[in-house]
């Protein structure tokens, strides 16, 4: 089930909707990084030059030039540092398009299942920030464990496998279920979700390719959620409302399904 879902997710990546989501997320990531670099460099130069002038009021004119050069140096250092933020920032921005790719996977891969509903914007924003924080904290812990011989690489995969598997599976499940139901389903199938998360962590470890991690993880977990749900009786209970499933698929609209009674 896990490897089939991973294989299907890999085959989804070259599709036009996934490529469009990738280019949009990378473009916005580049824009954010450039604006951040310009902003920090400008603020640094704006603060550094007056500070040096006030600190050395009788200093020669070259002090002003030194402040400007310091600003350029800080900008260069920041640009190098921002390279390490490409992954996390692109993950946050890509999360804005995950519902779009999830809808494509559900529609094309599982036409007999009811259409999922997009996660509410503000709820999705909260989940994105929460996921970003969890990943940062988890990787800080893993960074400290890198100092312990023998478990450093293992720590990277275990921490990221658990965190990524949990968050992305709950995202896929919440397109059909309430948050509590999604968490309960993830807990019930925690081993399967964790092993799927390890596959994503392996994907994350590949340079450059790891920029596709959010899209790959979302697709994999949508496939996994669909297959687990089918094994447990299917998602027919979520096909509700006044519009039939066939009409919904034909119109390409999202219908808000009824929440399954617990």
């Amino acid at each position: 089930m896990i490897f089939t879902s991973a294989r299907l997710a890999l085959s989804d990546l070259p599709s036009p909707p996934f490529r469009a989501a990738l280019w949009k997320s990378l473009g916005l990531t580049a824009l954010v990084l450039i604006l951040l670099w310009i902003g920090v460099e400008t603020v640094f130069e704006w603060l550094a030059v007056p500070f040096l002038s006030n600190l050395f009021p009788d200093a020669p004119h070259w002090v002003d030039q030194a402040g400007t050069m310091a600003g350029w140096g800080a900008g260069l250092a920041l640009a190098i540092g921002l390279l390490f933020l490409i992954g996390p920032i692109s993950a946050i921005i890509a999360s804005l398009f995950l519902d779009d790719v999830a809808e494509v996977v559900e529609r094309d891969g599982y036409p007999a299942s009811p259409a999922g509903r997009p996660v509410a914007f503000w709820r999705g924003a909260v989940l994105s920030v929460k996921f970003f924080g969890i990943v940062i904290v988890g990787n800080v812990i893993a960074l400290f464990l890198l100092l312990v011989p023998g478990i450093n690489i293992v720590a990277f995969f275990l921490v990221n496998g658990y965190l990524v598997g949990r968050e992305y599976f709950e995202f896929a499940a919440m397109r059909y279920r309430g948050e509590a139901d999604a968490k309960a389903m993830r807990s019930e199938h925690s081993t399967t979700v964790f092993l799927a998360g390890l596959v994503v962590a392996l994907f994350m470890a590949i340079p450059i390719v790891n920029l596709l991690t959010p899209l790959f993880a979302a697709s994999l977990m949508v496939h996994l959620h669909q297959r687990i749900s089918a094994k447990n009786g299917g998602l027919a209970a979520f096909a509700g409302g006044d519009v039939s499933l066939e009409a919904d698929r034909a119109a390409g609209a999202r219908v808000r399904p009824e929440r399954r009674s617990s």
Side-chain angles (χ1 to χ4, degrees):
M1 182 182 297
I2 295 173
F3 291 111
T4 300
S5 298
R7 177 179 58 80
L8 291 172
L10 286 174
S11 66
D12 288 334
L13 292 179
S15 66
F18 278 73
R19 291 203 306 268
L22 173 64
W23 288 119
K24 286 188 288 187
S25 62
L26 290 182
L28 288 174
T29 298
L31 179 62
V32 168
L33 292 175
I34 290 172
L35 292 177
L36 183 59
W37 177 73
I38 292 175
V40 172
E41 183 185 23
T42 301
V43 170
F44 182 86
E45 184 175 342
W46 175 60
L47 293 176
V49 173
F51 175 78
L52 290 175
S53 298
N54 293 330
L55 186 63
F56 305 103
D58 298 325
H61 179 69
W62 61 263
V63 170
D64 291 343
Q65 299 300 322
T68 302
M69 294 180 63
W72 292 345
L76 178 61
L78 177 64
I80 296 174
L82 289 178
L83 293 176
F84 297 96
L85 295 178
I86 291 178
I89 292 178
S90 65
I92 291 179
I93 293 177
S95 67
L96 301 175
F97 309 106
L98 294 186
D99 272 311
D100 295 335
V101 299
E103 183 182 10
V104 171
V105 174
E106 293 164 356
R107 184 187 64 236
D108 296 345
Y110 307 91
S113 296
R117 66 182 185 273
V119 178
F121 175 78
W122 290 113
R123 182 56 189 153
V126 170
L127 290 175
S128 297
V129 173
K130 173 186 172 185
F131 173 67
F132 178 74
I134 289 174
V135 169
I136 292 298
V137 172
N139 281 278
V140 168
I141 296 174
L143 182 63
F144 282 110
L145 291 176
L146 289 176
L147 303 176
V148 183
I151 68 170
N152 40 21
I153 298 179
V154 174
F156 171 84
F157 285 105
L158 292 181
V159 170
N160 285 286
Y162 172 75
L163 295 175
V164 173
R166 184 182 74 175
E167 296 301 320
Y168 279 95
F169 184 83
E170 290 183 4
F171 155 77
M174 284 174 61
R175 286 180 53 81
Y176 292 90
R177 311 164 192 272
E179 184 174 357
D181 291 340
K183 291 181 180 295
M185 185 179 189
R186 192 262 307 168
S187 296
E188 181 181 354
H189 301 278
S190 57
T191 301
T192 300
V193 173
F194 172 66
L195 292 176
L198 287 180
V199 174
V200 179
L202 178 62
F203 194 90
M204 289 175 64
I206 305 174
I208 306 301
V209 175
N210 57 12
L211 294 176
L212 293 165
T213 297
L215 304 180
F216 173 73
S219 179
L220 189 157
M221 293 304 176
V222 167
H223 284 296
L224 188 63
H225 173 257
Q226 291 281 344
R227 289 172 177 273
I228 291 176
S229 298
K231 186 177 180 181
N232 292 342
L235 291 167
F238 295 93
D242 297 327
V243 184
S244 66
L245 174 61
E246 291 78 10
D248 172 57
R249 290 299 188 188
R254 295 187 180 102
V255 177
R256 190 176 187 85
E258 296 176 354
R259 179 175 175 176
R260 183 175 63 176
S261 58
S262 54

